[in-house]
mmCIF file of all heavy atoms in Angstrom:
data_model
loop_
_atom_site.group_PDB
_atom_site.id
_atom_site.type_symbol
_atom_site.label_atom_id
_atom_site.label_comp_id
_atom_site.label_asym_id
_atom_site.label_seq_id
_atom_site.Cartn_x
_atom_site.Cartn_y
_atom_site.Cartn_z
ATOM 1 N N GLY N 25 1.569 7.204 -1.716
ATOM 2 C CA GLY N 25 0.116 6.967 -1.244
ATOM 3 C C GLY N 25 -0.874 7.858 -1.869
ATOM 4 O O GLY N 25 -0.556 8.627 -2.757
ATOM 5 N N GLY N 26 -2.118 7.722 -1.433
ATOM 6 C CA GLY N 26 -3.162 8.614 -1.945
ATOM 7 C C GLY N 26 -3.824 7.985 -3.136
ATOM 8 O O GLY N 26 -3.511 6.859 -3.569
ATOM 9 N N ALA N 27 -4.671 8.730 -3.777
ATOM 10 C CA ALA N 27 -5.484 8.210 -4.870
ATOM 11 C C ALA N 27 -4.676 8.024 -6.148
ATOM 12 O O ALA N 27 -5.151 7.314 -7.042
ATOM 13 C CB ALA N 27 -6.656 9.130 -5.176
ATOM 14 N N SER N 28 -3.496 8.592 -6.256
ATOM 15 C CA SER N 28 -2.728 8.522 -7.471
ATOM 16 C C SER N 28 -1.427 7.731 -7.317
ATOM 17 O O SER N 28 -0.630 7.657 -8.204
ATOM 18 C CB SER N 28 -2.365 9.923 -7.954
ATOM 19 O OG SER N 28 -1.575 10.587 -6.971
ATOM 20 N N ASP N 29 -1.282 6.966 -6.144
ATOM 21 C CA ASP N 29 -0.116 6.203 -5.980
ATOM 22 C C ASP N 29 -0.345 5.087 -4.980
ATOM 23 O O ASP N 29 -1.289 5.137 -4.222
ATOM 24 C CB ASP N 29 1.053 7.106 -5.528
ATOM 25 C CG ASP N 29 2.415 6.469 -5.820
ATOM 26 O OD1 ASP N 29 2.518 5.369 -6.334
ATOM 27 O OD2 ASP N 29 3.448 7.076 -5.469
ATOM 28 N N GLY N 30 0.466 4.121 -5.035
ATOM 29 C CA GLY N 30 0.476 3.043 -4.001
ATOM 30 C C GLY N 30 1.303 3.407 -2.835
ATOM 31 O O GLY N 30 1.936 4.463 -2.741
ATOM 32 N N PHE N 31 1.401 2.433 -1.811
ATOM 33 C CA PHE N 31 2.148 2.685 -0.644
ATOM 34 C C PHE N 31 2.376 1.221 -0.012
ATOM 35 O O PHE N 31 1.535 0.418 -0.005
ATOM 36 C CB PHE N 31 1.328 3.483 0.368
ATOM 37 C CG PHE N 31 2.122 4.149 1.427
ATOM 38 C CD1 PHE N 31 2.673 5.346 1.216
ATOM 39 C CD2 PHE N 31 2.327 3.597 2.695
ATOM 40 C CE1 PHE N 31 3.413 6.038 2.252
ATOM 41 C CE2 PHE N 31 3.049 4.176 3.687
ATOM 42 C CZ PHE N 31 3.588 5.429 3.477
ATOM 43 N N ASN N 32 3.685 1.012 0.409
ATOM 44 C CA ASN N 32 4.009 -0.258 1.005
ATOM 45 C C ASN N 32 3.959 -1.411 0.037
ATOM 46 O O ASN N 32 3.021 -2.319 0.132
ATOM 47 C CB ASN N 32 3.130 -0.493 2.256
ATOM 48 C CG ASN N 32 3.538 -1.655 3.083
ATOM 49 O OD1 ASN N 32 2.784 -2.436 3.644
ATOM 50 N ND2 ASN N 32 4.852 -1.849 3.189
ATOM 51 N N PRO N 33 4.839 -1.497 -0.965
ATOM 52 C CA PRO N 33 4.776 -2.605 -1.940
ATOM 53 C C PRO N 33 5.087 -3.946 -1.286
ATOM 54 O O PRO N 33 5.857 -4.034 -0.382
ATOM 55 C CB PRO N 33 5.820 -2.211 -2.977
ATOM 56 C CG PRO N 33 6.817 -1.304 -2.153
ATOM 57 C CD PRO N 33 5.941 -0.573 -1.174
ATOM 58 N N HIS N 34 4.381 -4.969 -1.798
ATOM 59 C CA HIS N 34 4.556 -6.329 -1.320
ATOM 60 C C HIS N 34 4.900 -7.251 -2.468
ATOM 61 O O HIS N 34 4.572 -6.977 -3.611
ATOM 62 C CB HIS N 34 3.373 -6.793 -0.603
ATOM 63 C CG HIS N 34 3.251 -6.412 0.832
ATOM 64 N ND1 HIS N 34 3.501 -5.140 1.303
ATOM 65 C CD2 HIS N 34 2.992 -7.180 1.960
ATOM 66 C CE1 HIS N 34 3.286 -5.097 2.566
ATOM 67 N NE2 HIS N 34 3.034 -6.276 3.031
ATOM 68 N N GLY N 35 5.498 -8.301 -2.211
ATOM 69 C CA GLY N 35 5.837 -9.286 -3.229
ATOM 70 C C GLY N 35 7.021 -8.843 -4.074
ATOM 71 O O GLY N 35 7.748 -7.908 -3.655
ATOM 72 N N SER N 36 7.211 -9.539 -5.179
ATOM 73 C CA SER N 36 8.286 -9.214 -6.145
ATOM 74 C C SER N 36 7.775 -8.520 -7.418
ATOM 75 O O SER N 36 6.622 -8.746 -7.773
ATOM 76 C CB SER N 36 9.015 -10.519 -6.463
ATOM 77 O OG SER N 36 9.391 -11.266 -5.367
ATOM 78 N N LEU N 37 8.627 -7.847 -8.022
ATOM 79 C CA LEU N 37 8.296 -7.355 -9.390
ATOM 80 C C LEU N 37 8.406 -8.460 -10.332
ATOM 81 O O LEU N 37 9.170 -9.484 -10.247
ATOM 82 C CB LEU N 37 9.359 -6.293 -9.800
ATOM 83 C CG LEU N 37 9.328 -4.961 -9.021
ATOM 84 C CD1 LEU N 37 10.544 -4.180 -9.386
ATOM 85 C CD2 LEU N 37 8.053 -4.153 -9.340
ATOM 86 N N ILE N 38 7.568 -8.473 -11.415
ATOM 87 C CA ILE N 38 7.651 -9.381 -12.485
ATOM 88 C C ILE N 38 7.818 -8.564 -13.812
ATOM 89 O O ILE N 38 7.386 -7.516 -13.937
ATOM 90 C CB ILE N 38 6.480 -10.302 -12.527
ATOM 91 C CG1 ILE N 38 5.156 -9.565 -12.906
ATOM 92 C CG2 ILE N 38 6.241 -11.137 -11.276
ATOM 93 C CD1 ILE N 38 4.036 -10.479 -13.318
ATOM 94 N N ASP N 39 8.577 -9.266 -14.750
ATOM 95 C CA ASP N 39 8.773 -8.661 -16.050
ATOM 96 C C ASP N 39 7.783 -9.322 -17.024
ATOM 97 O O ASP N 39 7.747 -10.538 -17.211
ATOM 98 C CB ASP N 39 10.237 -8.959 -16.512
ATOM 99 C CG ASP N 39 10.548 -8.287 -17.861
ATOM 100 O OD1 ASP N 39 9.606 -7.842 -18.522
ATOM 101 O OD2 ASP N 39 11.736 -8.269 -18.202
ATOM 102 N N PHE N 40 6.932 -8.501 -17.656
ATOM 103 C CA PHE N 40 5.923 -9.000 -18.545
ATOM 104 C C PHE N 40 5.841 -8.089 -19.746
ATOM 105 O O PHE N 40 5.509 -6.918 -19.543
ATOM 106 C CB PHE N 40 4.585 -9.152 -17.829
ATOM 107 C CG PHE N 40 3.567 -9.836 -18.619
ATOM 108 C CD1 PHE N 40 3.741 -11.025 -19.268
ATOM 109 C CD2 PHE N 40 2.255 -9.263 -18.814
ATOM 110 C CE1 PHE N 40 2.766 -11.744 -19.970
ATOM 111 C CE2 PHE N 40 1.272 -9.918 -19.514
ATOM 112 C CZ PHE N 40 1.519 -11.103 -20.101
ATOM 113 N N GLY N 41 6.207 -8.571 -20.903
ATOM 114 C CA GLY N 41 6.097 -7.749 -22.085
ATOM 115 C C GLY N 41 6.999 -6.512 -22.098
ATOM 116 O O GLY N 41 6.725 -5.522 -22.675
ATOM 117 N N GLY N 42 8.152 -6.635 -21.390
ATOM 118 C CA GLY N 42 9.075 -5.565 -21.289
ATOM 119 C C GLY N 42 8.845 -4.475 -20.345
ATOM 120 O O GLY N 42 9.522 -3.496 -20.235
ATOM 121 N N MET N 43 7.740 -4.677 -19.545
ATOM 122 C CA MET N 43 7.461 -3.765 -18.387
ATOM 123 C C MET N 43 7.445 -4.531 -17.094
ATOM 124 O O MET N 43 7.386 -5.720 -17.021
ATOM 125 C CB MET N 43 6.038 -3.050 -18.626
ATOM 126 C CG MET N 43 6.036 -2.238 -19.876
ATOM 127 S SD MET N 43 4.560 -1.080 -19.889
ATOM 128 C CE MET N 43 5.073 0.172 -18.688
ATOM 129 N N LEU N 44 7.625 -3.742 -15.974
ATOM 130 C CA LEU N 44 7.600 -4.339 -14.638
ATOM 131 C C LEU N 44 6.258 -4.148 -14.015
ATOM 132 O O LEU N 44 5.682 -3.060 -14.016
ATOM 133 C CB LEU N 44 8.706 -3.734 -13.756
ATOM 134 C CG LEU N 44 10.099 -3.672 -14.389
ATOM 135 C CD1 LEU N 44 11.055 -2.952 -13.387
ATOM 136 C CD2 LEU N 44 10.591 -5.143 -14.679
ATOM 137 N N TYR N 45 5.736 -5.225 -13.373
ATOM 138 C CA TYR N 45 4.418 -5.199 -12.692
ATOM 139 C C TYR N 45 4.564 -5.529 -11.271
ATOM 140 O O TYR N 45 5.447 -6.359 -10.882
ATOM 141 C CB TYR N 45 3.465 -6.115 -13.410
ATOM 142 C CG TYR N 45 3.040 -5.668 -14.799
ATOM 143 C CD1 TYR N 45 3.882 -5.861 -15.905
ATOM 144 C CD2 TYR N 45 1.897 -4.989 -14.992
ATOM 145 C CE1 TYR N 45 3.528 -5.524 -17.162
ATOM 146 C CE2 TYR N 45 1.508 -4.615 -16.320
ATOM 147 C CZ TYR N 45 2.382 -4.860 -17.344
ATOM 148 O OH TYR N 45 2.001 -4.433 -18.628
ATOM 149 N N GLY N 46 3.757 -4.956 -10.415
ATOM 150 C CA GLY N 46 3.762 -5.350 -8.994
ATOM 151 C C GLY N 46 2.523 -4.878 -8.281
ATOM 152 O O GLY N 46 1.568 -4.327 -8.862
ATOM 153 N N THR N 47 2.453 -5.062 -6.944
ATOM 154 C CA THR N 47 1.301 -4.677 -6.102
ATOM 155 C C THR N 47 1.801 -3.845 -4.923
ATOM 156 O O THR N 47 2.917 -4.042 -4.429
ATOM 157 C CB THR N 47 0.448 -5.875 -5.653
ATOM 158 O OG1 THR N 47 1.277 -6.714 -4.841
ATOM 159 C CG2 THR N 47 -0.001 -6.668 -6.864
ATOM 160 N N THR N 48 0.916 -3.079 -4.384
ATOM 161 C CA THR N 48 1.175 -2.397 -3.044
ATOM 162 C C THR N 48 0.086 -2.758 -2.081
ATOM 163 O O THR N 48 -1.100 -2.956 -2.483
ATOM 164 C CB THR N 48 1.175 -0.915 -3.229
ATOM 165 O OG1 THR N 48 -0.105 -0.409 -3.601
ATOM 166 C CG2 THR N 48 2.298 -0.453 -4.210
ATOM 167 N N TYR N 49 0.408 -2.916 -0.863
ATOM 168 C CA TYR N 49 -0.531 -3.418 0.188
ATOM 169 C C TYR N 49 -1.522 -2.252 0.554
ATOM 170 O O TYR N 49 -2.652 -2.502 0.865
ATOM 171 C CB TYR N 49 0.251 -3.800 1.400
ATOM 172 C CG TYR N 49 -0.599 -4.477 2.441
ATOM 173 C CD1 TYR N 49 -1.024 -5.810 2.267
ATOM 174 C CD2 TYR N 49 -0.904 -3.863 3.657
ATOM 175 C CE1 TYR N 49 -1.797 -6.453 3.250
ATOM 176 C CE2 TYR N 49 -1.679 -4.491 4.603
ATOM 177 C CZ TYR N 49 -2.149 -5.796 4.442
ATOM 178 O OH TYR N 49 -2.850 -6.459 5.371
ATOM 179 N N LEU N 50 -1.049 -1.037 0.409
ATOM 180 C CA LEU N 50 -1.779 0.155 0.750
ATOM 181 C C LEU N 50 -1.782 1.107 -0.458
ATOM 182 O O LEU N 50 -1.218 0.803 -1.465
ATOM 183 C CB LEU N 50 -1.199 0.927 1.978
ATOM 184 C CG LEU N 50 -1.170 0.075 3.251
ATOM 185 C CD1 LEU N 50 -0.350 0.896 4.333
ATOM 186 C CD2 LEU N 50 -2.564 -0.197 3.770
ATOM 187 N N GLY N 51 -2.436 2.279 -0.310
ATOM 188 C CA GLY N 51 -2.570 3.216 -1.380
ATOM 189 C C GLY N 51 -3.918 3.057 -2.124
ATOM 190 O O GLY N 51 -4.635 2.070 -1.904
ATOM 191 N N GLY N 52 -4.227 3.993 -2.912
ATOM 192 C CA GLY N 52 -5.536 3.947 -3.619
ATOM 193 C C GLY N 52 -6.586 4.646 -2.868
ATOM 194 O O GLY N 52 -6.359 5.533 -2.024
ATOM 195 N N THR N 53 -7.823 4.219 -3.095
ATOM 196 C CA THR N 53 -8.974 5.012 -2.531
ATOM 197 C C THR N 53 -9.919 4.169 -1.750
ATOM 198 O O THR N 53 -10.889 4.672 -1.200
ATOM 199 C CB THR N 53 -9.765 5.682 -3.645
ATOM 200 O OG1 THR N 53 -10.188 4.670 -4.669
ATOM 201 C CG2 THR N 53 -8.879 6.662 -4.437
ATOM 202 N N GLY N 54 -9.837 2.805 -1.680
ATOM 203 C CA GLY N 54 -10.794 2.035 -0.965
ATOM 204 C C GLY N 54 -10.629 2.145 0.528
ATOM 205 O O GLY N 54 -9.670 2.803 1.068
ATOM 206 N N PHE N 55 -11.473 1.416 1.265
ATOM 207 C CA PHE N 55 -11.418 1.441 2.795
ATOM 208 C C PHE N 55 -11.210 0.034 3.225
ATOM 209 O O PHE N 55 -12.040 -0.775 3.043
ATOM 210 C CB PHE N 55 -12.650 2.056 3.362
ATOM 211 C CG PHE N 55 -12.601 2.202 4.867
ATOM 212 C CD1 PHE N 55 -12.091 3.325 5.423
ATOM 213 C CD2 PHE N 55 -13.061 1.153 5.692
ATOM 214 C CE1 PHE N 55 -12.035 3.335 6.821
ATOM 215 C CE2 PHE N 55 -13.023 1.204 7.021
ATOM 216 C CZ PHE N 55 -12.499 2.317 7.627
ATOM 217 N N CYS N 56 -10.068 -0.179 3.892
ATOM 218 C CA CYS N 56 -9.737 -1.563 4.311
ATOM 219 C C CYS N 56 -9.320 -1.598 5.787
ATOM 220 O O CYS N 56 -9.389 -2.682 6.384
ATOM 221 C CB CYS N 56 -8.563 -2.119 3.491
ATOM 222 S SG CYS N 56 -9.080 -2.876 1.930
ATOM 223 N N PHE N 57 -9.002 -0.555 6.384
ATOM 224 C CA PHE N 57 -8.436 -0.568 7.788
ATOM 225 C C PHE N 57 -9.584 -0.353 8.715
ATOM 226 O O PHE N 57 -10.205 0.721 8.666
ATOM 227 C CB PHE N 57 -7.331 0.451 7.987
ATOM 228 C CG PHE N 57 -6.630 0.289 9.316
ATOM 229 C CD1 PHE N 57 -5.579 -0.649 9.396
ATOM 230 C CD2 PHE N 57 -6.970 0.946 10.418
ATOM 231 C CE1 PHE N 57 -4.986 -0.863 10.690
ATOM 232 C CE2 PHE N 57 -6.358 0.795 11.611
ATOM 233 C CZ PHE N 57 -5.310 -0.077 11.756
ATOM 234 N N ASP N 58 -9.746 -1.230 9.685
ATOM 235 C CA ASP N 58 -10.847 -1.090 10.638
ATOM 236 C C ASP N 58 -10.415 -1.307 12.057
ATOM 237 O O ASP N 58 -11.183 -1.570 12.945
ATOM 238 C CB ASP N 58 -12.001 -2.031 10.356
ATOM 239 C CG ASP N 58 -11.548 -3.474 10.267
ATOM 240 O OD1 ASP N 58 -10.380 -3.763 10.506
ATOM 241 O OD2 ASP N 58 -12.397 -4.328 9.898
ATOM 242 N N GLY N 59 -9.113 -1.163 12.368
ATOM 243 C CA GLY N 59 -8.574 -1.352 13.646
ATOM 244 C C GLY N 59 -8.180 -0.037 14.323
ATOM 245 O O GLY N 59 -8.469 1.077 13.803
ATOM 246 N N ALA N 60 -7.582 -0.102 15.508
ATOM 247 C CA ALA N 60 -7.192 1.106 16.218
ATOM 248 C C ALA N 60 -5.740 1.369 15.954
ATOM 249 O O ALA N 60 -4.920 0.476 15.818
ATOM 250 C CB ALA N 60 -7.442 0.900 17.738
ATOM 251 N N PHE N 61 -5.346 2.679 15.910
ATOM 252 C CA PHE N 61 -3.996 3.069 15.709
ATOM 253 C C PHE N 61 -3.267 3.232 17.046
ATOM 254 O O PHE N 61 -3.870 3.559 18.100
ATOM 255 C CB PHE N 61 -3.889 4.393 14.984
ATOM 256 C CG PHE N 61 -4.448 4.339 13.579
ATOM 257 C CD1 PHE N 61 -5.624 4.971 13.242
ATOM 258 C CD2 PHE N 61 -3.775 3.677 12.609
ATOM 259 C CE1 PHE N 61 -6.097 4.892 11.973
ATOM 260 C CE2 PHE N 61 -4.229 3.557 11.297
ATOM 261 C CZ PHE N 61 -5.447 4.234 11.012
ATOM 262 N N PRO N 62 -1.961 2.906 17.133
ATOM 263 C CA PRO N 62 -1.182 3.145 18.348
ATOM 264 C C PRO N 62 -1.321 4.637 18.755
ATOM 265 O O PRO N 62 -1.327 5.448 17.906
ATOM 266 C CB PRO N 62 0.208 2.709 17.949
ATOM 267 C CG PRO N 62 0.071 1.785 16.831
ATOM 268 C CD PRO N 62 -1.154 2.344 16.068
ATOM 269 N N ASP N 63 -1.223 4.867 20.085
ATOM 270 C CA ASP N 63 -1.375 6.213 20.560
ATOM 271 C C ASP N 63 -0.182 7.070 20.059
ATOM 272 O O ASP N 63 -0.348 8.276 19.914
ATOM 273 C CB ASP N 63 -1.443 6.228 22.124
ATOM 274 C CG ASP N 63 -2.725 5.592 22.639
ATOM 275 O OD1 ASP N 63 -3.667 5.599 21.918
ATOM 276 O OD2 ASP N 63 -2.651 5.191 23.804
ATOM 277 N N LEU N 64 0.959 6.507 19.868
ATOM 278 C CA LEU N 64 2.128 7.278 19.527
ATOM 279 C C LEU N 64 2.298 7.492 18.020
ATOM 280 O O LEU N 64 3.282 8.066 17.621
ATOM 281 C CB LEU N 64 3.413 6.623 20.099
ATOM 282 C CG LEU N 64 3.446 6.512 21.637
ATOM 283 C CD1 LEU N 64 4.721 5.791 22.068
ATOM 284 C CD2 LEU N 64 3.371 7.869 22.251
ATOM 285 N N TRP N 65 1.354 7.042 17.222
ATOM 286 C CA TRP N 65 1.443 7.177 15.762
ATOM 287 C C TRP N 65 0.196 7.703 15.130
ATOM 288 O O TRP N 65 -0.931 7.193 15.413
ATOM 289 C CB TRP N 65 1.760 5.779 15.139
ATOM 290 C CG TRP N 65 1.986 5.885 13.680
ATOM 291 C CD1 TRP N 65 3.057 6.581 13.005
ATOM 292 C CD2 TRP N 65 1.184 5.389 12.646
ATOM 293 N NE1 TRP N 65 2.909 6.385 11.656
ATOM 294 C CE2 TRP N 65 1.783 5.682 11.393
ATOM 295 C CE3 TRP N 65 -0.024 4.653 12.651
ATOM 296 C CZ2 TRP N 65 1.215 5.265 10.162
ATOM 297 C CZ3 TRP N 65 -0.564 4.255 11.437
ATOM 298 C CH2 TRP N 65 0.078 4.589 10.244
ATOM 299 N N THR N 66 0.353 8.770 14.480
ATOM 300 C CA THR N 66 -0.846 9.372 13.764
ATOM 301 C C THR N 66 -0.667 9.078 12.271
ATOM 302 O O THR N 66 0.240 9.553 11.636
ATOM 303 C CB THR N 66 -0.929 10.888 13.979
ATOM 304 O OG1 THR N 66 -1.035 11.204 15.346
ATOM 305 C CG2 THR N 66 -2.057 11.522 13.204
ATOM 306 N N PRO N 67 -1.600 8.329 11.707
ATOM 307 C CA PRO N 67 -1.439 7.956 10.302
ATOM 308 C C PRO N 67 -1.677 9.165 9.404
ATOM 309 O O PRO N 67 -2.414 10.099 9.731
ATOM 310 C CB PRO N 67 -2.500 6.897 10.085
ATOM 311 C CG PRO N 67 -3.547 7.261 11.125
ATOM 312 C CD PRO N 67 -2.764 7.716 12.284
ATOM 313 N N PRO N 68 -1.094 9.110 8.184
ATOM 314 C CA PRO N 68 -1.322 10.207 7.251
ATOM 315 C C PRO N 68 -2.836 10.157 6.862
ATOM 316 O O PRO N 68 -3.461 9.141 7.031
ATOM 317 C CB PRO N 68 -0.400 9.909 6.014
ATOM 318 C CG PRO N 68 -0.110 8.410 6.244
ATOM 319 C CD PRO N 68 -0.110 8.142 7.690
#
């Protein structure tokens, strides 16, 4: 996670031009979460 890595990959890897490509649902620097966190879990 953080600005230099992803977190929680989704989907499948694909092979394109000899390299593997994919996506992560979290990670990076944008702001997407606008809900409440459970009381028993403190997010990083």
Side-chain angles (χ1 to χ4, degrees):
S28 60
D29 203 357
F31 200 88
N32 189 217
H34 276 48
S36 305
L37 293 168
I38 66 168
D39 183 348
F40 186 52
M43 298 194 74
L44 307 179
Y45 292 80
T47 64
T48 64
Y49 190 75
L50 301 171
T53 57
F55 183 87
C56 278
F57 189 84
D58 53 7
F61 296 109
D63 292 338
L64 298 179
W65 184 66
T66 300

